[in-house]
Amino acid sequence: MVYVTRREVFSASHRLHNENLSDAENEAIFDKCNNYYGHGHNYVLEVVVAGEVDPETGYVIDLKKLKNIIKENVIRKVDHKHLNYDVDFMKNVIPTAENIAIGIWNQLADKIPSGKLYSVKLFETENNYVEYKGA
Ligand code: NI
Protein backbone atom coordinates (compact mmCIF):
# COMPACT_ATOMS: atom_id res chain seq x y z
CA MET A 1 0.00 0.00 0.00
CA VAL A 2 1.32 3.44 -0.93
CA TYR A 3 -0.04 6.71 0.48
CA VAL A 4 -0.17 9.70 -1.87
CA THR A 5 -0.76 13.21 -0.51
CA ARG A 6 -1.92 16.40 -2.16
CA ARG A 7 -1.74 19.65 -0.22
CA GLU A 8 -3.97 22.63 -0.98
CA VAL A 9 -4.53 25.90 0.83
CA PHE A 10 -7.62 28.05 1.11
CA SER A 11 -8.75 31.09 3.06
CA ALA A 12 -12.16 31.18 4.66
CA SER A 13 -14.04 32.72 7.52
CA HIS A 14 -16.28 31.12 10.09
CA ARG A 15 -18.09 31.69 13.35
CA LEU A 16 -18.41 28.97 15.97
CA HIS A 17 -21.93 29.30 17.30
CA ASN A 18 -24.64 26.86 18.35
CA GLU A 19 -28.12 28.30 17.74
CA ASN A 20 -29.56 26.04 20.44
CA LEU A 21 -27.48 27.65 23.18
CA SER A 22 -27.73 31.08 24.76
CA ASP A 23 -25.32 33.86 23.85
CA ALA A 24 -23.64 33.43 27.25
CA GLU A 25 -23.23 29.70 26.75
CA ASN A 26 -21.86 30.23 23.24
CA GLU A 27 -19.37 32.73 24.55
CA ALA A 28 -18.35 30.39 27.36
CA ILE A 29 -17.74 27.50 24.96
CA PHE A 30 -16.34 29.24 21.90
CA ASP A 31 -14.83 32.39 23.37
CA LYS A 32 -13.22 34.55 20.63
CA CYS A 33 -14.32 32.08 17.96
CA ASN A 34 -17.91 33.15 18.72
CA ASN A 35 -17.15 36.70 17.48
CA TYR A 36 -20.40 37.90 15.87
CA TYR A 37 -19.08 38.65 12.39
CA GLY A 38 -16.69 35.71 12.31
CA HIS A 39 -12.96 35.59 11.71
CA GLY A 40 -10.67 34.05 9.13
CA HIS A 41 -8.10 31.30 8.76
CA ASN A 42 -5.62 30.30 6.12
CA TYR A 43 -6.40 26.60 6.08
CA VAL A 44 -4.00 23.95 4.88
CA LEU A 45 -5.65 20.80 3.60
CA GLU A 46 -3.88 17.49 3.08
CA VAL A 47 -5.73 14.76 1.23
CA VAL A 48 -4.23 11.27 1.33
CA VAL A 49 -5.16 8.52 -1.13
CA ALA A 50 -4.02 4.96 -0.41
CA GLY A 51 -3.68 2.19 -2.96
CA GLU A 52 -1.57 -0.24 -4.89
CA VAL A 53 0.80 1.07 -7.53
CA ASP A 54 -0.60 0.50 -11.02
CA PRO A 55 2.18 -1.37 -12.89
CA GLU A 56 1.22 0.33 -16.15
CA THR A 57 1.55 3.92 -14.90
CA GLY A 58 3.59 3.58 -11.72
CA TYR A 59 0.93 5.69 -10.01
CA VAL A 60 -1.53 5.04 -7.19
CA ILE A 61 -3.39 8.08 -8.50
CA ASP A 62 -2.32 10.73 -10.98
CA LEU A 63 -1.65 13.76 -8.73
CA LYS A 64 -2.82 16.13 -11.48
CA LYS A 65 -6.19 14.39 -11.37
CA LEU A 66 -6.28 14.44 -7.58
CA LYS A 67 -5.46 18.16 -7.61
CA ASN A 68 -8.30 18.88 -10.03
CA ILE A 69 -10.78 16.79 -8.04
CA ILE A 70 -9.92 18.67 -4.84
CA LYS A 71 -10.09 22.05 -6.58
CA GLU A 72 -13.42 21.32 -8.24
CA ASN A 73 -15.18 19.74 -5.25
CA VAL A 74 -13.64 21.60 -2.33
CA ILE A 75 -11.40 24.61 -2.98
CA ARG A 76 -13.74 26.28 -5.48
CA LYS A 77 -16.53 26.05 -2.88
CA VAL A 78 -14.65 27.24 0.21
CA ASP A 79 -11.87 29.62 -0.84
CA HIS A 80 -12.68 33.21 0.16
CA LYS A 81 -16.08 32.12 1.47
CA HIS A 82 -17.85 32.29 4.81
CA LEU A 83 -18.23 28.69 5.95
CA ASN A 84 -21.41 29.44 7.95
CA TYR A 85 -23.29 30.87 4.96
CA ASP A 86 -21.70 30.21 1.58
CA VAL A 87 -20.84 26.53 1.45
CA ASP A 88 -23.45 23.91 0.47
CA PHE A 89 -21.74 21.01 2.23
CA MET A 90 -21.38 22.94 5.51
CA LYS A 91 -25.07 23.78 5.97
CA ASN A 92 -26.43 23.11 9.46
CA VAL A 93 -23.14 22.18 11.12
CA ILE A 94 -20.87 24.27 13.35
CA PRO A 95 -17.84 24.95 11.13
CA THR A 96 -15.15 23.64 13.45
CA ALA A 97 -12.05 22.10 11.89
CA GLU A 98 -13.55 18.71 12.80
CA ASN A 99 -16.76 19.34 10.86
CA ILE A 100 -14.95 20.93 7.91
CA ALA A 101 -12.70 17.85 7.62
CA ILE A 102 -15.76 15.56 7.66
CA GLY A 103 -17.49 17.74 5.07
CA ILE A 104 -14.44 17.65 2.82
CA TRP A 105 -14.17 13.88 3.21
CA ASN A 106 -17.81 13.52 2.15
CA GLN A 107 -17.17 15.72 -0.88
CA LEU A 108 -14.24 13.58 -2.02
CA ALA A 109 -14.78 9.98 -0.89
CA ASP A 110 -16.76 8.77 -3.91
CA LYS A 111 -14.81 10.81 -6.48
CA ILE A 112 -11.38 9.19 -6.21
CA PRO A 113 -10.78 7.31 -9.47
CA SER A 114 -8.03 4.97 -8.25
CA GLY A 115 -6.96 3.95 -4.77
CA LYS A 116 -9.18 4.97 -1.86
CA LEU A 117 -9.47 8.14 0.17
CA TYR A 118 -7.43 7.42 3.31
CA SER A 119 -7.45 10.66 5.28
CA VAL A 120 -8.32 14.32 5.24
CA LYS A 121 -6.09 16.46 7.41
CA LEU A 122 -7.01 20.07 7.99
CA PHE A 123 -4.67 22.59 9.62
CA GLU A 124 -6.56 25.55 11.03
CA THR A 125 -3.42 27.13 12.45
CA GLU A 126 0.22 26.14 12.41
CA ASN A 127 -0.26 24.23 15.65
CA ASN A 128 -3.82 22.94 15.43
CA TYR A 129 -5.04 20.33 13.00
CA VAL A 130 -7.60 17.56 12.79
CA GLU A 131 -7.53 14.37 10.78
CA TYR A 132 -10.54 12.39 9.60
CA LYS A 133 -10.32 8.86 8.19
CA GLY A 134 -13.96 8.10 7.53
CA ALA A 135 -16.63 6.65 9.77
NI1 NI B 1 -11.56 30.02 13.92
PDB file of all heavy atoms in Angstrom, residues 20-32:
ATOM      1  N   ASN A  20     -28.744  26.610  19.366  1.00  0.00           N
ATOM      2  CA  ASN A  20     -29.563  26.039  20.441  1.00  0.00           C
ATOM      3  C   ASN A  20     -29.118  26.481  21.830  1.00  0.00           C
ATOM      4  O   ASN A  20     -29.769  26.151  22.815  1.00  0.00           O
ATOM      5  CB  ASN A  20     -29.545  24.506  20.367  1.00  0.00           C
ATOM      6  CG  ASN A  20     -30.112  24.011  19.045  1.00  0.00           C
ATOM      7  OD1 ASN A  20     -31.102  24.560  18.555  1.00  0.00           O
ATOM      8  ND2 ASN A  20     -29.473  23.012  18.459  1.00  0.00           N
ATOM      9  N   LEU A  21     -27.998  27.193  21.888  1.00  0.00           N
ATOM     10  CA  LEU A  21     -27.482  27.645  23.177  1.00  0.00           C
ATOM     11  C   LEU A  21     -27.661  29.153  23.304  1.00  0.00           C
ATOM     12  O   LEU A  21     -27.812  29.862  22.303  1.00  0.00           O
ATOM     13  CB  LEU A  21     -26.003  27.283  23.309  1.00  0.00           C
ATOM     14  CG  LEU A  21     -25.656  25.788  23.200  1.00  0.00           C
ATOM     15  CD1 LEU A  21     -24.152  25.592  23.260  1.00  0.00           C
ATOM     16  CD2 LEU A  21     -26.346  24.994  24.295  1.00  0.00           C
ATOM     17  N   SER A  22     -27.623  29.634  24.526  1.00  0.00           N
ATOM     18  CA  SER A  22     -27.729  31.075  24.764  1.00  0.00           C
ATOM     19  C   SER A  22     -26.443  31.772  24.324  1.00  0.00           C
ATOM     20  O   SER A  22     -25.401  31.127  24.135  1.00  0.00           O
ATOM     21  CB  SER A  22     -27.945  31.330  26.254  1.00  0.00           C
ATOM     22  OG  SER A  22     -26.752  31.019  26.963  1.00  0.00           O
ATOM     23  N   ASP A  23     -26.530  33.097  24.193  1.00  0.00           N
ATOM     24  CA  ASP A  23     -25.322  33.857  23.848  1.00  0.00           C
ATOM     25  C   ASP A  23     -24.237  33.649  24.899  1.00  0.00           C
ATOM     26  O   ASP A  23     -23.061  33.511  24.562  1.00  0.00           O
ATOM     27  CB  ASP A  23     -25.654  35.347  23.739  1.00  0.00           C
ATOM     28  CG  ASP A  23     -26.426  35.651  22.456  1.00  0.00           C
ATOM     29  OD1 ASP A  23     -26.533  34.749  21.594  1.00  0.00           O
ATOM     30  OD2 ASP A  23     -26.929  36.783  22.321  1.00  0.00           O
ATOM     31  N   ALA A  24     -24.637  33.613  26.174  1.00  0.00           N
ATOM     32  CA  ALA A  24     -23.643  33.433  27.247  1.00  0.00           C
ATOM     33  C   ALA A  24     -22.985  32.059  27.155  1.00  0.00           C
ATOM     34  O   ALA A  24     -21.765  31.930  27.314  1.00  0.00           O
ATOM     35  CB  ALA A  24     -24.317  33.614  28.601  1.00  0.00           C
ATOM     36  N   GLU A  25     -23.794  31.053  26.878  1.00  0.00           N
ATOM     37  CA  GLU A  25     -23.229  29.696  26.754  1.00  0.00           C
ATOM     38  C   GLU A  25     -22.293  29.612  25.541  1.00  0.00           C
ATOM     39  O   GLU A  25     -21.216  29.014  25.606  1.00  0.00           O
ATOM     40  CB  GLU A  25     -24.356  28.662  26.606  1.00  0.00           C
ATOM     41  CG  GLU A  25     -25.121  28.407  27.883  1.00  0.00           C
ATOM     42  CD  GLU A  25     -26.398  27.601  27.662  1.00  0.00           C
ATOM     43  OE1 GLU A  25     -27.145  27.867  26.689  1.00  0.00           O
ATOM     44  OE2 GLU A  25     -26.650  26.704  28.475  1.00  0.00           O
ATOM     45  N   ASN A  26     -22.719  30.221  24.431  1.00  0.00           N
ATOM     46  CA  ASN A  26     -21.865  30.226  23.241  1.00  0.00           C
ATOM     47  C   ASN A  26     -20.529  30.906  23.532  1.00  0.00           C
ATOM     48  O   ASN A  26     -19.475  30.409  23.124  1.00  0.00           O
ATOM     49  CB  ASN A  26     -22.568  30.920  22.082  1.00  0.00           C
ATOM     50  CG  ASN A  26     -23.382  29.955  21.249  1.00  0.00           C
ATOM     51  OD1 ASN A  26     -22.839  29.092  20.585  1.00  0.00           O
ATOM     52  ND2 ASN A  26     -24.693  30.092  21.306  1.00  0.00           N
ATOM     53  N   GLU A  27     -20.606  32.020  24.248  1.00  0.00           N
ATOM     54  CA  GLU A  27     -19.366  32.730  24.553  1.00  0.00           C
ATOM     55  C   GLU A  27     -18.482  31.906  25.479  1.00  0.00           C
ATOM     56  O   GLU A  27     -17.259  31.869  25.321  1.00  0.00           O
ATOM     57  CB  GLU A  27     -19.682  34.092  25.162  1.00  0.00           C
ATOM     58  CG  GLU A  27     -18.557  35.072  24.917  1.00  0.00           C
ATOM     59  CD  GLU A  27     -18.850  36.441  25.529  1.00  0.00           C
ATOM     60  OE1 GLU A  27     -19.976  36.937  25.355  1.00  0.00           O
ATOM     61  OE2 GLU A  27     -17.941  36.992  26.175  1.00  0.00           O
ATOM     62  N   ALA A  28     -19.120  31.217  26.430  1.00  0.00           N
ATOM     63  CA  ALA A  28     -18.346  30.392  27.365  1.00  0.00           C
ATOM     64  C   ALA A  28     -17.637  29.246  26.632  1.00  0.00           C
ATOM     65  O   ALA A  28     -16.489  28.909  26.924  1.00  0.00           O
ATOM     66  CB  ALA A  28     -19.257  29.842  28.456  1.00  0.00           C
ATOM     67  N   ILE A  29     -18.328  28.644  25.671  1.00  0.00           N
ATOM     68  CA  ILE A  29     -17.741  27.496  24.962  1.00  0.00           C
ATOM     69  C   ILE A  29     -16.740  27.948  23.908  1.00  0.00           C
ATOM     70  O   ILE A  29     -15.632  27.423  23.811  1.00  0.00           O
ATOM     71  CB  ILE A  29     -18.850  26.652  24.277  1.00  0.00           C
ATOM     72  CG1 ILE A  29     -19.767  26.028  25.329  1.00  0.00           C
ATOM     73  CG2 ILE A  29     -18.230  25.563  23.389  1.00  0.00           C
ATOM     74  CD1 ILE A  29     -21.022  25.402  24.747  1.00  0.00           C
ATOM     75  N   PHE A  30     -17.133  28.934  23.092  1.00  0.00           N
ATOM     76  CA  PHE A  30     -16.343  29.242  21.896  1.00  0.00           C
ATOM     77  C   PHE A  30     -15.462  30.477  22.036  1.00  0.00           C
ATOM     78  O   PHE A  30     -14.617  30.724  21.167  1.00  0.00           O
ATOM     79  CB  PHE A  30     -17.282  29.417  20.696  1.00  0.00           C
ATOM     80  CG  PHE A  30     -18.068  28.174  20.360  1.00  0.00           C
ATOM     81  CD1 PHE A  30     -19.445  28.161  20.428  1.00  0.00           C
ATOM     82  CD2 PHE A  30     -17.407  27.012  19.979  1.00  0.00           C
ATOM     83  CE1 PHE A  30     -20.168  27.021  20.114  1.00  0.00           C
ATOM     84  CE2 PHE A  30     -18.120  25.856  19.663  1.00  0.00           C
ATOM     85  CZ  PHE A  30     -19.503  25.856  19.739  1.00  0.00           C
ATOM     86  N   ASP A  31     -15.701  31.259  23.070  1.00  0.00           N
ATOM     87  CA  ASP A  31     -14.826  32.394  23.374  1.00  0.00           C
ATOM     88  C   ASP A  31     -14.663  33.301  22.147  1.00  0.00           C
ATOM     89  O   ASP A  31     -15.646  33.666  21.516  1.00  0.00           O
ATOM     90  CB  ASP A  31     -13.491  31.850  23.914  1.00  0.00           C
ATOM     91  CG  ASP A  31     -12.624  32.931  24.571  1.00  0.00           C
ATOM     92  OD1 ASP A  31     -13.191  33.864  25.168  1.00  0.00           O
ATOM     93  OD2 ASP A  31     -11.387  32.830  24.465  1.00  0.00           O
ATOM     94  N   LYS A  32     -13.453  33.630  21.758  1.00  0.00           N
ATOM     95  CA  LYS A  32     -13.216  34.550  20.635  1.00  0.00           C
ATOM     96  C   LYS A  32     -13.760  34.017  19.315  1.00  0.00           C
ATOM     97  O   LYS A  32     -14.096  34.778  18.416  1.00  0.00           O
ATOM     98  CB  LYS A  32     -11.707  34.814  20.470  1.00  0.00           C
ATOM     99  CG  LYS A  32     -11.144  35.729  21.545  1.00  0.00           C
ATOM    100  CD  LYS A  32      -9.731  36.180  21.204  1.00  0.00           C
ATOM    101  CE  LYS A  32      -8.766  35.024  21.227  1.00  0.00           C
ATOM    102  NZ  LYS A  32      -7.350  35.452  21.134  1.00  0.00           N
TER     103      LYS A  32
END
